[in-house]
Amino acid sequence: MNVPDDRRYTEEHEWALLTPDGTVRLGITAYAQEALGDIVYVELPQAGDTFDSGATLAEVESTKSVADVYAPLPGTVAAINEALVDQPELINSDPYGEGWLVELQVGDTSVLDGMLDAAAYGALIEDLSLIH
């Protein structure tokens, strides 16, 4: 399964990528979108909304279920992916690219260092695959 090594991951299957302008772009992983199935709706926060780490940031609805997406670090929403309003399936087709959810302005990007790197996340989903 595709696990890009340019970002950090959570055990809840979110990814975080530090962008060149200093914001942190967030999305769900390929593993998460595959488990959810065909995504039909995404509820995103508003620009300017502030979140604590672990707070529900967005909601992703698929033909199978509804899943909360949690903020892996505290911050303020700098941008949302407007394309998902009309094309939520972008999360299925390109979870690490066009299917991103939000960008957060964060005070301390060193929080990313405490998240899983690609190797650790890859091992996590490999273990999960063995369980199922």
Side-chain angles (χ1 to χ4, degrees):
M1 183 160 298
N2 183 22
V3 181
D5 61 5
D6 62 348
R7 57 202 74 204
R8 295 296 183 142
Y9 300 88
T10 70
E11 291 182 4
E12 291 77 31
H13 311 289
E14 292 108 10
W15 58 261
L17 175 67
L18 185 60
T19 67
D21 68 1
T23 61
V24 177
R25 183 171 279 188
L26 304 173
I28 65 171
T29 65
Y31 179 90
Q33 68 79 25
E34 190 173 285
L36 283 168
D38 293 336
I39 295 172
V40 295
Y41 177 75
V42 181
E43 185 176 321
L44 297 172
Q46 300 292 315
D49 287 353
T50 301
F51 293 90
D52 290 327
S53 182
T56 300
L57 180 73
E59 190 174 88
V60 177
E61 185 176 326
S62 72
T63 54
K64 292 183 186 177
S65 67
V66 176
D68 288 332
V69 178
Y70 303 100
L73 62 169
T76 301
V77 177
I80 62 169
N81 187 350
E82 299 278 357
L84 296 180
V85 174
D86 294 324
Q87 295 179 286
E89 67 275 6
L90 288 172
I91 296 171
N92 293 120
S93 62
D94 193 8
Y96 298 115
E98 294 299 314
W100 64 276
L101 300 173
V102 302
E103 288 184 356
L104 291 182
Q105 190 67 50
V106 298
D108 182 8
T109 58
S110 70
V111 176
L112 293 168
D113 297 337
M115 295 172 66
L116 301 173
D117 63 15
Y121 182 71
L124 172 75
I125 58 175
E126 187 174 311
D127 288 348
L128 291 173
S129 297
L130 295 175
I131 292 169
H132 296 295

